[in-house]
Amino acid sequence: QVQLVESGGGLAQPGGSLKLSCAASGFTFSNYAMSWARQVPGKGLEFVSGIYSDGSDTYYADSVKGRFTISRDNAKNTLYLQMNSLKPEDTALYYCAKAKGIIATISLHQYDYWGQGTQVTVSS
């Protein structure tokens, strides 16, 4: 069965960095786009970044553009999110998600499997 397991979250200071990983199994990873989304308690799920199945194109929410970088290693079935210049408003539970096809979109309805999430807290 499809499994997505996030790791790498934790506590970071404002201006600091964290790198999230998502280990995928149970499907042919290289055939599907992947994305990261986040959720703050009491608010809806927010698209953060997406990447095509072959890594040829990426998308970012305006709130993270220029600070976050999404990447993937299809040989290792792993998705990454490098987060730099972190801000307190980046505090959230971060999820990775598998798309239904090869193209990443900002519509979260186009994703059919989600991990359990990893908590990121940005605070001094």
Side-chain angles (χ1 to χ4, degrees), residues 27-33 52-54 72 74 98-103:
F27 65 103
T28 304
F29 183 72
S30 58
N31 286 355
Y32 295 93
Y52 278 23
S53 60
D54 61 0
R72 64 190 296 159
N74 284 348
K98 170 191 166 293
K100 296 177 181 177
I102 63 172
I103 297 175

Side-chain angles (χ1 to χ4, degrees), residues 59-71:
Y59 295 96
Y60 297 93
D62 287 343
S63 57
V64 307
K65 203 170 293 184
R67 300 188 298 120
F68 290 11
T69 303
I70 191 171
S71 62

Side-chain angles (χ1 to χ4, degrees), residues 49-105:
S49 182
I51 186 167
Y52 278 23
S53 60
D54 61 0
S56 61
D57 207 354
T58 56
Y59 295 96
Y60 297 93
D62 287 343
S63 57
V64 307
K65 203 170 293 184
R67 300 188 298 120
F68 290 11
T69 303
I70 191 171
S71 62
R72 64 190 296 159
D73 185 336
N74 284 348
K76 295 183 178 180
N77 291 347
T78 304
L79 177 73
Y80 303 100
L81 185 68
Q82 177 67 47
M83 305 187 295
N84 298 331
S85 302
L86 283 164
K87 304 176 180 179
E89 51 263 44
D90 294 319
T91 295
L93 189 61
Y94 283 72
Y95 298 93
C96 71
K98 170 191 166 293
K100 296 177 181 177
I102 63 172
I103 297 175
T105 76

